[in-house]
Amino acid sequence: MGFFDGMMGNASEINTAEAQREFARILAGNEKIDKAYKLIRDLFIFTNKRLILVDKQGLTGKKVEYHSIPYKSITHFSIETAGSFDLDAELKIWISGNALPLQKQFNKNLNIYELQTVLAEYVLAN
């Protein structure tokens, strides 16, 4: 991911094997990371059990908040593809009990349809 993409709020996919090793201590015994995306220092991780949002705080990023969202809590979601002039794709996820969606932007190099498929597989299975 380029610095400019990070500054513009875009996310890029990261290697799932590396993410599996890095976040092993917060995963359940039978939990597997399927997709992981980085947004500057923060991450959001799709596992076979839940969506994990990783919020690195402070100047050093040593203070970290892990926010876990079970797929059954996701009421609906939407994607918006990148256009000719708007180079960003967007994912919106509505969580039960929250009126406003969680929103994330991706650069156009990311396959937003693949991301939607991963989310749909888990949300629709619950």
Side-chain angles (χ1 to χ4, degrees):
M1 176 175 81
F3 179 74
F4 184 70
D5 282 341
M7 294 303 292
M8 295 303 294
N10 293 322
S12 296
E13 190 169 359
I14 62 171
N15 182 288
T16 56
E18 290 174 19
Q20 188 79 31
R21 283 189 298 276
E22 182 178 348
F23 297 102
R25 64 184 173 197
I26 65 165
L27 298 174
N30 60 352
E31 193 170 15
K32 177 177 94 68
I33 294 176
D34 289 327
K35 295 282 180 184
Y37 300 91
K38 186 170 187 172
L39 176 64
I40 305 177
R41 295 187 308 174
D42 299 340
L43 292 104
F44 49 108
I45 301 168
F46 292 92
T47 77
N48 58 327
K49 304 282 185 186
R50 60 190 163 147
L51 174 60
I52 303 170
L53 305 176
V54 181
D55 180 16
K56 294 186 178 182
Q57 303 170 3
L59 292 175
T60 62
K62 289 186 178 189
K63 182 177 179 180
V64 181
E65 177 183 19
Y66 301 95
H67 189 91
S68 179
I69 304 168
Y71 292 118
K72 65 183 177 185
S73 298
I74 298 173
T75 59
H76 65 284
F77 57 92
S78 69
I79 61 169
E80 181 179 303
T81 61
S84 297
F85 298 106
D86 179 14
L87 301 178
D88 299 331
E90 187 173 50
L91 170 68
K92 293 180 184 177
I93 302 172
W94 284 263
I95 302 166
S96 61
N98 293 334
L100 298 175
L102 169 70
Q103 294 181 214
K104 297 293 181 181
Q105 288 188 327
F106 301 86
N107 63 37
K108 74 179 208 173
N109 295 328
L110 179 102
N111 183 345
I112 193 75
Y113 296 106
E114 179 181 330
L115 177 62
Q116 187 277 157
T117 300
V118 171
L119 187 55
E121 285 176 4
Y122 290 117
V123 172
L124 297 175
N126 287 307

